[in-house]
Amino acid sequence: MLIASVPLVRQSEDFTMKNEPVSSIDLMERAGMQLADYLTTDFQLDAHSQVIVFCGQGNNGGDGLVVARKLALHGCRVIAVCVAENDKTTPDFNINLERYRQLLARCANAHLTDYSCFESSYKGDEKCLVVDALFGIGLSRPLSGFYARVVRFINEMNQTVVAVDTPSGLFLDGHTQQDVPVVHAHYTYTFQWQKWAYLLPENAARVGTVKVLDIGLQIPDNASFTGKLIDKELVRSFYVAPKMYAHKGSNGHGLLVAGSGNMPGAAVLAATAALRAGIGKVTVHTTANVARVLPAVLPEAIVDTDANGPCVSSCKWENMPSLQAIAIGPGIGTAAPTAALLKDLLSEVHSPVIFDADALNILAENKTLLAYLPAYSILTPHFKEFERLAGKTENDFERLEKLRDFVKKYQVVVVLKGHHSVVAMPDGKMFVNTTGNAGMATAGSGDVLTGVLLACMAKGYPAALAALLAVYVHGLAGDCALNSQSMESMIASDICQHLGCAFKQISGY
């Protein structure tokens, strides 16, 4: 699924009306009817004394009037509240206002009032469902004055709020400051595609749970998009199922440089994940203390012991036959000998490498090394690690811009980890993951992702596809783990144990 900008939505609406063809009023009818149908399914409307639909003067208000009409005919008590500061309205709004007025005479459930009357009479002593249809996706400046007052009133009603297409006051293609009046929706029902604003942490309290409704918009062949979702459809389009005659050699050999004196578990988690993700062989280059315990907890791993005691310092990767992929970073620390090892790797290895955790911290402390990253290497920072690499940002949209600039400058793939992990490609394309949950915010989760990435690279996926597949599978394994764990009780080992469940869901076997 696409992540759409406002210009793309507008372009698609125009194209659909000409190409289908369909009139703007009928497209509005389609959208409003679709939303109303979902509300009747998703909410126990009979448990609410009434549905209050706040309708602005434009096309978003027209959508709201369609919703109000449909719900009234469904049997709900509906109050359509016309919110107007002046007499400027759109033609499609006027048509739907007239349709709603005609309904009043024959439907006792339908009611119509203006905002001032509603505000003065509202008591708030009953459970209501509030529908925000004040402003749509085209808002170009912050709300103020009369409309800011209306937004504050809606937010103070202490009712469940559903936004039509977008919470009123929110900018979709750029940062909305926290002190700007915006409706705080519990649910946002948006049309056709996801929007960037709904996928960023800064807007979580404003958009709530987002549902995308298909209203049949079509995309012109020459349209450009700003991003895509990593969903099952995308992953299945390039996923390669295991071959009948596969053997450990054909499934790839990966080198994992991980672990140190005080962080042995990182190596164990990453290596376990690589094996659970289907790698043929994994060699773990690690410190002596980890090397001693690894065969006991993971006998399938090959162990390569560093000559140094407390940290990794040298690795003879050139002596390891048929290496298809290298990952470095989980639990290695940032000691000077380890930093020297990373510098050696950059001077001697020219195929893509996976950099995680402390490898990223070493790069951040020695930014001149970034210029020597092999093309299409994969970096997996969380927000703070990315800040150390690319510089501080003021908001999530600014971070996305820095991310786009960073991958273009260094020609690498970056997995920016978070609730909606973003995978950024050197060509400027960005992908947002749809799997995973808050239970995965636990120590070691990133080490598991590194192991899955190593397996995908070793099995022959190009770096870009390896990143997309690994991020999706990693999150899906976390979702599978919720069948036996809670978000509070989940640990990284649970994610490893459910990688098989995730691959089964993708492959269907």
Coordinates of all heavy atoms in Angstrom, one line a residue, residues 394-445:
E394 N 14.6 18.3 15.2 CA 13.6 18.9 16.1 C 12.3 18.1 16.1 O 11.5 18.2 17.0 CB 13.3 20.3 15.6 CG 14.5 21.2 15.8 CD 15.0 21.4 17.2 OE1 14.1 21.4 18.1 OE2 16.2 21.4 17.4
N395 N 12.0 17.3 15.1 CA 10.7 16.6 15.0 C 10.8 15.4 14.0 O 11.9 15.2 13.4 CB 9.6 17.6 14.5 CG 9.9 18.2 13.2 OD1 9.8 17.5 12.2 ND2 10.2 19.5 13.2
D396 N 9.8 14.6 14.0 CA 9.8 13.4 13.2 C 10.0 13.6 11.7 O 10.6 12.9 11.0 CB 8.6 12.6 13.5 CG 8.6 12.0 14.9 OD1 9.6 11.9 15.5 OD2 7.5 11.7 15.4
F397 N 9.3 14.7 11.2 CA 9.4 15.0 9.8 C 10.8 15.4 9.4 O 11.4 15.0 8.3 CB 8.4 16.1 9.3 CG 7.1 15.5 9.0 CD1 6.0 15.5 10.0 CD2 6.8 15.0 7.7 CE1 4.8 15.0 9.7 CE2 5.5 14.5 7.4 CZ 4.5 14.5 8.4
E398 N 11.5 16.2 10.3 CA 12.8 16.6 10.0 C 13.8 15.4 10.0 O 14.7 15.3 9.3 CB 13.3 17.6 11.1 CG 14.6 18.2 10.8 CD 15.0 19.3 11.8 OE1 14.1 20.0 12.3 OE2 16.2 19.3 12.2
R399 N 13.5 14.4 10.9 CA 14.3 13.2 11.0 C 14.2 12.4 9.7 O 15.1 11.9 9.2 CB 13.8 12.3 12.2 CG 14.7 11.1 12.3 CD 14.2 10.2 13.5 NE 14.3 10.8 14.7 CZ 13.3 11.2 15.5 NH1 12.0 10.9 15.1 NH2 13.5 11.8 16.7
L400 N 12.9 12.4 9.1 CA 12.8 11.7 7.8 C 13.6 12.3 6.7 O 14.2 11.6 5.9 CB 11.3 11.7 7.4 CG 10.4 10.7 8.2 CD1 8.9 10.8 7.6 CD2 10.8 9.3 8.0
E401 N 13.7 13.6 6.7 CA 14.5 14.3 5.7 C 15.9 14.0 5.9 O 16.7 13.8 4.9 CB 14.2 15.9 5.8 CG 12.8 16.3 5.3 CD 12.7 15.8 3.8 OE1 13.6 16.0 3.0 OE2 11.6 15.2 3.5
K402 N 16.4 14.0 7.2 CA 17.8 13.7 7.4 C 18.1 12.3 7.0 O 19.2 12.0 6.4 CB 18.1 13.9 8.9 CG 18.6 15.3 9.3 CD 19.3 15.3 10.6 CE 19.7 16.7 11.0 NZ 20.8 17.2 10.2
L403 N 17.1 11.4 7.2 CA 17.3 10.0 6.8 C 17.4 9.9 5.3 O 18.3 9.2 4.8 CB 16.1 9.2 7.3 CG 16.1 7.7 7.0 CD1 17.3 7.0 7.5 CD2 14.8 7.1 7.5
R404 N 16.6 10.6 4.6 CA 16.6 10.5 3.1 C 17.9 11.1 2.6 O 18.5 10.5 1.7 CB 15.4 11.3 2.6 CG 15.3 11.2 1.1 CD 14.0 11.9 0.6 NE 12.8 11.2 0.9 CZ 11.9 11.6 1.8 NH1 12.1 12.7 2.5 NH2 10.8 10.9 2.0
D405 N 18.4 12.1 3.2 CA 19.7 12.7 2.8 C 20.9 11.8 3.1 O 21.8 11.7 2.4 CB 19.9 14.1 3.5 CG 19.0 15.1 3.1 OD1 18.3 15.0 2.0 OD2 18.8 16.1 3.8
F406 N 20.8 11.1 4.3 CA 21.9 10.3 4.8 C 22.1 9.1 3.8 O 23.2 8.8 3.4 CB 21.6 9.8 6.2 CG 22.7 9.0 6.8 CD1 23.7 9.6 7.5 CD2 22.7 7.6 6.7 CE1 24.7 8.8 8.1 CE2 23.7 6.8 7.3 CZ 24.7 7.5 8.0
V407 N 21.0 8.4 3.5 CA 21.1 7.2 2.6 C 21.6 7.6 1.2 O 22.3 6.8 0.6 CB 19.8 6.4 2.6 CG1 19.5 5.8 4.0 CG2 18.6 7.2 2.1
K408 N 21.1 8.7 0.8 CA 21.6 9.2 -0.6 C 23.0 9.5 -0.6 O 23.8 9.2 -1.5 CB 20.7 10.4 -1.0 CG 21.0 10.9 -2.4 CD 20.1 12.0 -2.8 CE 20.5 12.5 -4.2 NZ 19.6 13.7 -4.6
K409 N 23.5 10.2 0.5 CA 24.9 10.6 0.5 C 25.8 9.4 0.6 O 26.9 9.4 -0.1 CB 25.1 11.5 1.7 CG 26.5 12.0 1.9 CD 26.7 12.9 3.1 CE 28.1 13.4 3.3 NZ 28.2 14.4 4.5
Y410 N 25.5 8.4 1.4 CA 26.4 7.3 1.7 C 26.0 6.1 0.9 O 26.7 5.1 1.0 CB 26.5 7.0 3.2 CG 27.1 8.1 4.0 CD1 26.3 8.9 4.8 CD2 28.5 8.5 3.8 CE1 26.9 10.0 5.5 CE2 29.0 9.5 4.5 CZ 28.2 10.3 5.4 OH 28.8 11.3 6.0
Q411 N 24.9 6.1 0.1 CA 24.5 5.0 -0.7 C 24.4 3.7 0.1 O 24.9 2.6 -0.2 CB 25.5 4.8 -1.9 CG 25.4 5.9 -2.9 CD 24.0 5.9 -3.6 OE1 23.7 5.0 -4.4 NE2 23.2 6.9 -3.3
V412 N 23.7 3.8 1.2 CA 23.4 2.7 2.1 C 21.9 2.5 2.3 O 21.1 3.4 2.0 CB 24.1 2.9 3.5 CG1 25.6 2.8 3.3 CG2 23.7 4.2 4.2
V413 N 21.6 1.4 2.9 CA 20.2 1.1 3.4 C 20.1 1.3 4.9 O 21.0 0.8 5.6 CB 19.7 -0.3 3.0 CG1 18.3 -0.6 3.5 CG2 19.8 -0.5 1.5
V414 N 19.2 2.1 5.4 CA 19.1 2.3 6.8 C 17.7 1.8 7.3 O 16.7 2.1 6.7 CB 19.2 3.8 7.2 CG1 18.8 4.0 8.6 CG2 20.6 4.3 7.0
V415 N 17.8 1.0 8.3 CA 16.5 0.6 9.0 C 16.5 1.4 10.3 O 17.2 1.2 11.2 CB 16.6 -0.9 9.4 CG1 15.3 -1.3 10.2 CG2 16.7 -1.8 8.1
L416 N 15.6 2.4 10.3 CA 15.4 3.3 11.4 C 14.4 2.6 12.3 O 13.2 2.6 12.0 CB 15.0 4.7 11.0 CG 14.8 5.7 12.1 CD1 16.1 5.9 12.9 CD2 14.3 7.0 11.5
K417 N 14.8 2.0 13.4 CA 14.0 1.2 14.2 C 13.0 2.0 15.1 O 13.4 3.0 15.6 CB 14.8 0.3 15.1 CG 15.7 -0.7 14.3 CD 16.5 -1.7 15.2 CE 17.6 -1.0 15.9 NZ 18.5 -2.0 16.5
G418 N 11.8 1.5 15.2 CA 10.8 2.1 16.1 C 9.5 1.4 15.9 O 9.4 0.3 15.4
H419 N 8.4 1.9 16.5 CA 7.1 1.3 16.4 C 6.7 1.0 14.9 O 6.3 -0.1 14.6 CB 6.0 2.1 17.1 CG 4.6 1.5 16.9 ND1 4.3 0.3 17.6 CD2 3.6 1.9 16.3 CE1 3.0 0.0 17.3 NE2 2.6 0.9 16.5
H420 N 6.9 2.0 14.1 CA 6.8 1.8 12.6 C 8.2 2.0 12.1 O 8.6 3.1 11.7 CB 5.9 2.8 12.0 CG 4.4 2.6 12.4 ND1 3.7 1.5 12.0 CD2 3.5 3.4 13.1 CE1 2.5 1.6 12.4 NE2 2.3 2.8 13.1
S421 N 9.0 0.9 12.0 CA 10.3 1.0 11.5 C 10.3 1.5 10.1 O 9.5 1.0 9.3 CB 11.1 -0.3 11.6 OG 11.3 -0.7 13.0
V422 N 11.2 2.4 9.7 CA 11.3 2.9 8.4 C 12.6 2.4 7.7 O 13.7 2.4 8.3 CB 11.4 4.5 8.4 CG1 11.5 5.0 7.0 CG2 10.2 5.0 9.1
V423 N 12.4 1.8 6.5 CA 13.5 1.3 5.7 C 13.8 2.3 4.6 O 12.9 2.5 3.7 CB 13.3 -0.1 5.2 CG1 14.5 -0.6 4.4 CG2 13.0 -1.1 6.3
A424 N 14.9 3.0 4.6 CA 15.2 4.0 3.6 C 16.3 3.5 2.6 O 17.3 2.9 3.0 CB 15.7 5.3 4.3
M425 N 16.0 3.7 1.3 CA 16.8 3.2 0.3 C 17.7 4.3 -0.3 O 17.3 5.5 -0.3 CB 16.0 2.5 -0.8 CG 15.1 1.5 -0.3 SD 16.0 0.1 0.4 CE 14.6 -1.1 0.8
P426 N 18.8 4.0 -0.9 CA 19.7 5.0 -1.5 C 19.0 5.8 -2.6 O 19.4 7.0 -2.9 CB 20.9 4.2 -2.1 CG 20.9 3.0 -1.3 CD 19.5 2.7 -1.0
D427 N 18.0 5.2 -3.3 CA 17.3 6.0 -4.4 C 16.2 6.9 -3.9 O 15.5 7.5 -4.7 CB 16.7 5.0 -5.4 CG 15.7 4.1 -4.8 OD1 15.4 4.2 -3.6 OD2 15.1 3.2 -5.5
G428 N 16.1 7.0 -2.6 CA 15.1 8.0 -2.0 C 13.8 7.3 -1.6 O 13.0 7.9 -0.9
K429 N 13.6 6.1 -2.0 CA 12.3 5.4 -1.6 C 12.4 5.0 -0.1 O 13.4 4.6 0.4 CB 12.1 4.2 -2.5 CG 11.8 4.5 -3.9 CD 11.6 3.3 -4.8 CE 11.3 3.6 -6.2 NZ 11.2 2.4 -7.1
M430 N 11.2 5.1 0.5 CA 11.1 4.8 1.9 C 9.9 3.9 2.2 O 8.9 4.0 1.6 CB 11.0 6.1 2.7 CG 12.1 7.1 2.5 SD 12.0 8.6 3.5 CE 12.7 8.0 5.0
F431 N 10.2 2.9 3.0 CA 9.2 1.9 3.3 C 8.9 1.9 4.8 O 9.9 1.9 5.6 CB 9.6 0.5 2.8 CG 9.9 0.5 1.4 CD1 11.0 1.0 0.8 CD2 8.9 -0.1 0.5 CE1 11.2 0.9 -0.6 CE2 9.1 -0.2 -0.8 CZ 10.3 0.3 -1.4
V432 N 7.7 1.7 5.2 CA 7.3 1.7 6.7 C 6.7 0.4 7.0 O 5.8 -0.1 6.4 CB 6.3 2.8 7.0 CG1 5.9 2.8 8.4 CG2 6.9 4.2 6.6
N433 N 7.2 -0.2 8.1 CA 6.8 -1.6 8.5 C 5.4 -1.6 9.1 O 5.0 -0.6 9.8 CB 7.8 -2.2 9.4 CG 7.5 -3.7 9.6 OD1 7.1 -4.4 8.6 ND2 7.8 -4.2 10.8
T434 N 4.7 -2.7 8.9 CA 3.3 -2.8 9.5 C 3.2 -3.8 10.5 O 2.1 -4.0 11.1 CB 2.3 -3.1 8.4 OG1 2.7 -4.3 7.7 CG2 2.2 -1.9 7.3
T435 N 4.3 -4.5 10.8 CA 4.2 -5.6 11.9 C 4.9 -5.1 13.1 O 5.7 -4.1 13.1 CB 4.9 -6.9 11.4 OG1 6.2 -6.6 11.0 CG2 4.1 -7.4 10.2
G436 N 4.7 -5.8 14.2 CA 5.4 -5.5 15.5 C 4.5 -4.9 16.5 O 3.4 -4.5 16.2
N437 N 4.9 -4.8 17.7 CA 4.1 -4.3 18.8 C 5.0 -3.8 19.9 O 6.3 -4.0 19.9 CB 3.2 -5.4 19.3 CG 4.0 -6.6 19.8 OD1 4.5 -6.6 20.9 ND2 4.0 -7.7 19.0
A438 N 4.4 -3.1 20.9 CA 5.2 -2.5 22.0 C 5.9 -3.5 22.9 O 6.9 -3.1 23.5 CB 4.3 -1.6 22.8
G439 N 5.5 -4.8 22.8 CA 6.3 -5.8 23.6 C 7.7 -6.0 23.2 O 8.5 -6.5 23.9
M440 N 7.9 -5.6 21.9 CA 9.3 -5.8 21.3 C 10.3 -4.7 21.8 O 11.5 -4.8 21.4 CB 9.2 -5.8 19.8 CG 8.3 -6.9 19.3 SD 8.0 -6.9 17.5 CE 9.7 -7.4 16.9
A441 N 9.8 -3.7 22.5 CA 10.7 -2.7 23.1 C 11.4 -3.2 24.3 O 11.1 -2.8 25.4 CB 9.9 -1.4 23.4
T442 N 12.3 -4.1 24.0 CA 13.0 -4.8 25.1 C 14.4 -5.1 24.7 O 14.7 -5.2 23.5 CB 12.3 -6.2 25.5 OG1 12.9 -6.8 26.6 CG2 12.3 -7.1 24.3
A443 N 15.3 -5.2 25.7 CA 16.7 -5.5 25.4 C 16.9 -6.7 24.5 O 16.3 -7.8 24.9 CB 17.5 -5.6 26.7
G444 N 17.7 -6.6 23.5 CA 18.0 -7.8 22.7 C 17.2 -7.9 21.4 O 17.5 -8.7 20.5
S445 N 16.1 -7.2 21.3 CA 15.2 -7.2 20.2 C 16.0 -6.8 18.9 O 15.8 -7.5 17.8 CB 14.0 -6.3 20.4 OG 13.2 -6.3 19.2

